Amino acid sequence: MDLSMQVSDKLRGRDFISIHDYQADEVAYILEVGLELKRLQKQGIPHPLLAGKTLGMIFQKSSTRTRVAFEVGMYQLGGHALFLSPKDIQLGRGETVKDTALVLSRMLDGIMIRTFAHDEVLELARWASIPVINGLTDLLHPTQVIGDLMTVKEHKGALKGLKLAFIGDGNNVAHELLYGCAKVGMDMVIACPPGFEPDQQVLQMARQDAQSSGARLEVLADPWEGVKGADIIYTDVWASMGQEGEADEKEKKFRAYQVNQALLEAANPGAIVMHCLPAKRGKEITDQVMDGPQSVVFDESENRLHAHKAIMAVTM
Ligand code: CP
Ligand code: NVA
């Protein structure tokens, strides 16, 4: 693929709300574009695929990686990104999502939104005439998982047939990983304390997606059982953004789900360790594992940049 020229127009104009909305070959294409953009960036080859275009970024929750990756990514693609804080825009004072979508569509070429309710993203996309990119909701985190799949591909050479064990809360990242694994044919086990399983509807929809790829998607309670035969161990915070009040209570229930050296040794030799970050070191993951030789968490972080560039370059 010669990206110094252009990317295909086949996904142009599409929203990016979940990997579930994309066909397997479309997901494969986004990953391919991401890896190619990474190569061009590393070699210092300019790739101004979005010259003259502007992305608006609405953040109702904090962010380090997502914000920086979109902003820097847009710059590297020759475009411009605007940070729209809810404290400053009229959405925060009660202007409707619909009106915000209609106005922003007149000035921008794409909108990225990170918010609480998934329905807010759907509402924004319903009224916007430009692509809407989901930068995380309480339900899903699709831009994360594109970067994650790129990372697995780089470290393991392939995706299909591998096994990913997600240890911890059945949260937004776990949900999107179910969709991602289902599309690419990667087996996934979620090991979580009873009461913290992933959303049943997401699991069901991911299992439907998995019928064509052959991926097996399982939920169980025992982390030791979960990591058996795993090529990738993945974890995330026990209390997500918006759940700060539940953190102490959750900590007691999740203690047995820490990704530490002993648990890592129960996985396949050479298994890689992933975490979307930010991490609570010493809680869901130990320093030893996070800073150890099997950890790829900072490659994973970097790949958000290349992944977001790919998502923007193909949709905007
Ligand atoms: N992983 C991730 O989305 O990080 P930020 O919250 O820092 O954007
Ligand atoms: N599950 C975490 C992911 C942060 C990137 C959260 O929603 O806070």
Side-chain angles (χ1 to χ4, degrees):
M1 181 170 47
D2 187 1
L3 266 184
S4 47
M5 314 231 301
Q6 62 181 59
V7 291
S8 155
D9 281 329
K10 63 187 174 187
L11 303 178
R12 191 90 47 221
R14 291 266 300 268
D15 295 320
F16 189 78
I17 292 175
S18 172
I19 292 174
H20 172 70
D21 305 329
Y22 282 75
Q23 302 293 327
D25 64 326
E26 297 171 337
V27 176
Y29 180 65
I30 297 172
L31 299 177
E32 192 187 336
V33 172
L35 290 167
E36 183 65 9
L37 285 170
K38 182 171 184 176
R39 189 184 68 78
L40 294 177
Q41 184 63 31
K42 296 280 180 199
Q43 293 183 357
I45 301 169
H47 40 280
L49 296 168
L50 296 180
K53 296 206 174 173
T54 310
L55 175 80
M57 308 187 296
I58 303 172
F59 280 95
Q60 311 269 29
K61 289 177 175 174
S62 306
S63 171
T64 298
R65 281 142 288 266
T66 307
R67 177 180 174 181
V68 174
F70 271 110
E71 202 161 326
V72 171
M74 202 51 179
Y75 174 75
Q76 292 177 356
L77 289 168
H80 182 70
L82 268 105
F83 177 69
L84 303 171
S85 153
K87 286 200 284 288
D88 305 323
I89 60 171
Q90 301 287 9
L91 184 66
R93 290 185 54 249
E95 186 168 20
T96 64
V97 171
K98 173 181 172 178
D99 290 348
T100 304
L102 294 172
V103 170
L104 294 180
S105 296
R106 299 290 186 103
M107 302 188 199
L108 299 170
D109 302 286
I111 309 170
M112 187 245 87
I113 178 165
R114 164 170 290 196
T115 192
F116 294 86
H118 192 69
D119 280 349
E120 198 174 319
V121 177
L122 299 178
E123 173 80 354
L124 190 74
R126 179 175 171 213
W127 295 105
S129 57
I130 54 178
V132 168
I133 300 172
N134 174 7
L136 180 147
T137 64
D138 290 345
L139 189 70
L140 299 173
H141 195 4
T143 67
Q144 175 71 48
V145 173
I146 293 295
D148 293 344
L149 293 173
M150 283 172 58
T151 309
V152 174
K153 211 165 176 191
E154 286 179 317
H155 283 274
K156 293 282 172 194
L159 297 172
K160 205 175 169 66
L162 295 177
K163 176 183 167 180
L164 182 147
F166 182 96
I167 311 297
D169 190 23
N171 64 14
N172 45 7
V173 172
H175 290 158
E176 195 67 49
L177 281 167
L178 283 170
Y179 284 142
C181 288
K183 290 286 169 175
V184 303
M186 214 155 84
D187 294 341
M188 179 173 170
V189 168
I190 298 182
C192 52
F196 297 94
E197 291 87 1
D199 181 87
Q200 271 306 311
Q201 203 186 339
V202 170
L203 182 63
Q204 205 180 357
M205 281 160 63
R207 279 185 172 149
Q208 272 162 19
D209 289 346
Q211 277 174 7
S212 32
S213 72
R216 280 171 306 183
L217 308 176
E218 250 188 288
V219 178
L220 41 78
D222 181 0
W224 299 92
E225 180 68 27
V227 300
K228 225 183 266 170
D231 305 290
I232 304 121
I233 296 188
Y234 200 119
T235 190
D236 185 13
V237 287
W238 295 332
S240 285
M241 288 182 274
Q243 301 177 340
E244 287 77 8
E246 298 159 47
D248 291 347
E249 194 50 39
K250 278 184 121 179
E251 211 178 297
K252 292 180 210 141
K253 296 180 176 149
F254 280 79
R255 218 162 265 159
Y257 293 80
Q258 182 185 67
V259 174
N260 52 33
Q261 196 58 33
L263 193 69
L264 177 54
E265 280 165 19
N268 276 351
I272 55 171
V273 176
M274 300 180 74
H275 190 311
C276 58
L277 304 182
K280 291 265 190 221
R281 284 171 175 263
K283 304 287 185 199
E284 77 273 5
I285 190 166
T286 58
D287 283 330
Q288 188 187 15
V289 169
M290 185 150 151
D291 298 327
Q294 287 168 264
S295 165
V296 300
V297 301
F298 297 107
D299 291 341
E300 186 185 358
S301 270
E302 179 193 327
N303 280 338
R304 299 296 298 292
L305 169 65
H306 311 296
H308 294 188
K309 286 169 73 176
I311 293 163
M312 291 190 287
V314 299
T315 60
M316 283 178 61

